[in-house]
Amino acid sequence: VHLAESGGGLVQPGGSLRLSCAASGFTFSGFPMNWVRQAPDKELEWIAMIGPDGHSKYYADSVKGRFTVSRDNAKNTLYLRLNNLKAEDTAMYFCAKDPYRDPSNRGQGTQVTVSS
């Protein structure tokens, strides 16, 4: 499993970002995929999951209505659109294959910092 996140950065409150995750080393289209995040000194937090075909989507309450997960199986790429960002969204964001708590199923992450 190889996952490579990109697209993070510094954004003002209320701003938007789109994260990408390039997947390789497994049959991407055959697996549900997750986005998880970890803020400094906090536990790993699951935030979104998308089914293998992209139709089923689930979100944590903390991001529901603001974040949108999607995937392009032809490109082996997972996306996360982050809208209306808040300071509490500041964290390292990871894409992850299940089980997502296994570090070997996650990429290196991309940092999102929300600050004015």
Side-chain angles (χ1 to χ4, degrees), residues 18-102:
R18 189 178 82 156
L19 308 183
S20 299
C21 170
S24 61
F26 65 105
T27 306
F28 179 73
S29 61
F31 292 89
M33 292 295 296
N34 304 277
W35 284 98
V36 300
R37 67 185 181 184
Q38 189 163 25
D41 299 323
K42 291 193 175 180
E43 295 288 320
L44 192 68
E45 179 188 14
W46 172 84
I47 56 173
M49 189 273 276
I50 185 168
D53 60 6
H55 293 310
S56 300
K57 301 179 183 182
Y58 305 92
Y59 299 94
D61 288 344
S62 58
V63 306
K64 196 174 295 182
R66 301 188 298 121
F67 291 8
T68 303
V69 61
S70 61
R71 66 192 295 163
D72 185 337
N73 285 343
K75 295 182 179 180
N76 286 353
T77 303
L78 179 72
Y79 301 100
L80 186 69
R81 177 71 178 181
L82 295 70
N83 291 331
N84 191 21
L85 282 159
K86 306 174 182 180
E88 52 263 42
D89 295 317
T90 295
M92 186 71 79
Y93 284 70
F94 303 88
C95 60
K97 186 176 171 288
D98 283 327
Y100 63 81
R101 293 191 180 279
D102 184 344

